[in-house]
Amino acid sequence: MSEDLGYGWQGELLDLPAYLKRIGHVGGTAPTAATLRALHRTHVTSIPFENLEIILGRPVDLSLDAVQAKLVERPRGGYCFEHNRLFAAVLERLGYEVTAVAGRVTMGASKILPATHALLHVRPPDASRDEPAWLCDVGFGAGPLEPLRLVDGEEAVQDGWGFRLRRGRTVTAWTPNTSEWELHQRGPDGWVQRHTSVLNEVFRIDFEVGSHYVSTSARSPFTTRPFVQRFAPDSLRVLDGKTLKITRPDGRTEARTLAPEDLPKTLEEDFGIALEDKDRTRLTDIIRAKA
C-alpha cells in the first residue's frame, strides 16, 4: 500500500450509495453542473450543522471513516470541516475537480478574524477554463441551498433566500493580484458580508489544524454552548444554547427559550439529530449546570 501523502479527499474509500441514500438524492450522478447543484441542495437540507461532540467533551475526528459513521450512518450532523471533508470525497469520487479553500467568518465585522471556515472550489471535469468555477458551502448551516458561480457580483435567489458573491479588497501589497471573495447573505436589514476567502488551496491537514482550534479554543464560539442549524427552503432553524429561533425567507422570525430537559427532544424533532441515551442525559446535565 502506498503512503498517504495527504493530497486529495480519499473518494475511493467513500460508501457512495449510503451517502446518496442519506441525503435522498435520486437523480443521476454524472459530474455536471446540474448534478452539483442537486447534490449541494440535498446535502444542505438533509444533514444538519451541529457542534455537539465538542459540548459533550469528545474530540472531532475528521478521518473519512469517522465522518461517514457520524454524518451518514447515524442521525447526526457536524460542522464545516466535517461537512466539507465528506462532500469533497463525494465530488472527487464522482469525477469533479475539487480544491478546498479557507474562509474567515465575519458576519459584517471589519476586523481580521481567523480562517476557521472550510469551503470548496469545484469544476465539472468537462468545464472549460474560461467558465467560472463553483463555490460550494455545504458546511455553514445557513445555506446557500446551491453553489454559486465564482463571478464578481453574482447574485442568486434560492427559494426566497438571497446570496451574492463579490470581489473584495486586495489581500496584501505582497500579493497584488490576489483579492478576497466575499459571500454576502440577504437579511431583514439588507446584505451582510458572511465570510471572505482567498483562492489559495488548503489540504486535509489544514482542516485538522482549523478544526482543532475551533473545537478546543476558549475563544471559539463553538466551545461554550450547543449551536445547531438546519436549513430548508422554507426555514432556517437555529438552536443557540437554549434559544430556538426560526427564520423564514421573508425575514420573519420566531424564538423561544427551552428548558434543559427539552433539548434532546427538540434536537430530534426540529433538527433530525437523535442522541444516544447517555448523551441525552449528559447534554441536559451540562446545560442545566451552565444555567
Side-chain angles (χ1 to χ4, degrees):
M1 181 180 296
S2 60
E3 179 184 2
D4 177 14
L5 299 178
Y7 296 101
W9 300 97
Q10 300 177 311
E12 72 280 1
L13 304 180
L14 179 79
D15 186 344
L16 184 60
Y19 171 80
L20 296 175
K21 181 179 179 180
R22 170 73 164 101
I23 66 172
H25 179 79
V26 295
T29 56
T32 64
T35 299
L36 180 63
R37 291 194 298 269
L39 290 171
H40 195 290
R41 176 179 281 265
T42 49
H43 182 117
V44 166
T45 56
S46 298
I47 308 179
F49 178 104
E50 51 118 320
N51 68 334
L52 298 177
E53 291 299 281
I54 301 169
I55 303 304
L56 292 167
R58 294 193 289 260
V60 176
D61 187 344
L62 294 185
S63 68
L64 187 57
D65 283 348
V67 172
Q68 286 190 107
K70 182 165 173 255
L71 276 66
V72 175
E73 297 171 16
R74 297 164 61 193
R76 289 289 305 274
Y79 60 7
C80 66
F81 295 107
E82 296 169 281
H83 276 277
N84 282 299
R85 174 72 180 90
L86 176 62
F87 200 55
V90 171
L91 298 182
E92 182 183 75
R93 173 71 172 269
L94 294 178
Y96 292 91
E97 178 187 296
V98 184
T99 304
V101 297
R104 301 178 188 274
V105 178
T106 57
M107 301 307 295
S110 56
K111 66 179 180 179
I112 296 177
L113 294 166
T116 56
H117 184 49
L119 305 106
L120 300 177
H121 175 281
V122 180
R123 286 184 184 277
D126 59 352
S128 166
R129 289 292 160 177
D130 294 330
E131 297 178 39
W134 297 85
L135 187 69
C136 294
D137 194 5
V138 298
F140 196 84
L145 288 166
E146 298 179 5
L148 298 177
R149 296 186 311 155
L150 276 163
V151 174
D152 189 15
E154 175 87 350
E155 290 191 14
V157 177
Q158 301 171 351
D159 293 54
W161 305 98
F163 303 91
R164 77 179 180 194
L165 276 172
R166 293 178 58 184
R167 277 193 182 275
R169 63 184 177 85
T170 299
V171 179
T172 70
W174 293 97
T175 55
N177 295 320
T178 302
S179 59
E180 293 178 323
W181 283 92
E182 302 174 354
L183 180 66
H184 296 245
Q185 187 162 2
R186 192 178 61 201
D189 300 320
W191 291 103
V192 176
Q193 184 195 92
R194 195 170 85 177
H195 55 65
T196 67
S197 56
V198 177
L199 301 186
N200 291 335
E201 185 173 11
V202 299
F203 303 93
R204 281 183 273 136
I205 189 63
D206 300 309
F207 276 33
E208 297 277 357
V209 173
S211 179
H212 178 74
Y213 172 84
V214 168
S215 64
T216 63
S217 173
R219 298 178 62 184
S220 167
F222 297 143
T223 59
T224 59
R225 86 287 192 216
F227 190 74
V228 185
Q229 300 183 96
R230 185 156 194 177
F231 194 54
D234 66 346
S235 64
L236 169 63
R237 283 174 160 74
V238 179
L239 177 66
D240 188 345
K242 295 186 297 178
T243 301
L244 175 65
K245 182 178 180 180
I246 303 174
T247 302
R248 304 296 177 181
D250 61 6
R252 290 178 297 121
T253 62
E254 56 187 273
R256 60 189 174 95
T257 300
L258 305 174
E261 58 270 20
D262 292 335
L263 291 180
K265 183 179 179 181
T266 299
L267 288 171
E268 190 161 357
E269 293 182 350
D270 283 73
F271 299 91
I273 295 172
L275 297 176
E276 297 177 2
D277 287 344
K278 61 178 181 172
D279 287 341
R280 293 168 65 94
T281 301
R282 178 164 173 73
L283 180 64
T284 299
D285 291 345
I286 289 171
I287 300 307
R288 187 177 287 121
K290 286 181 179 292

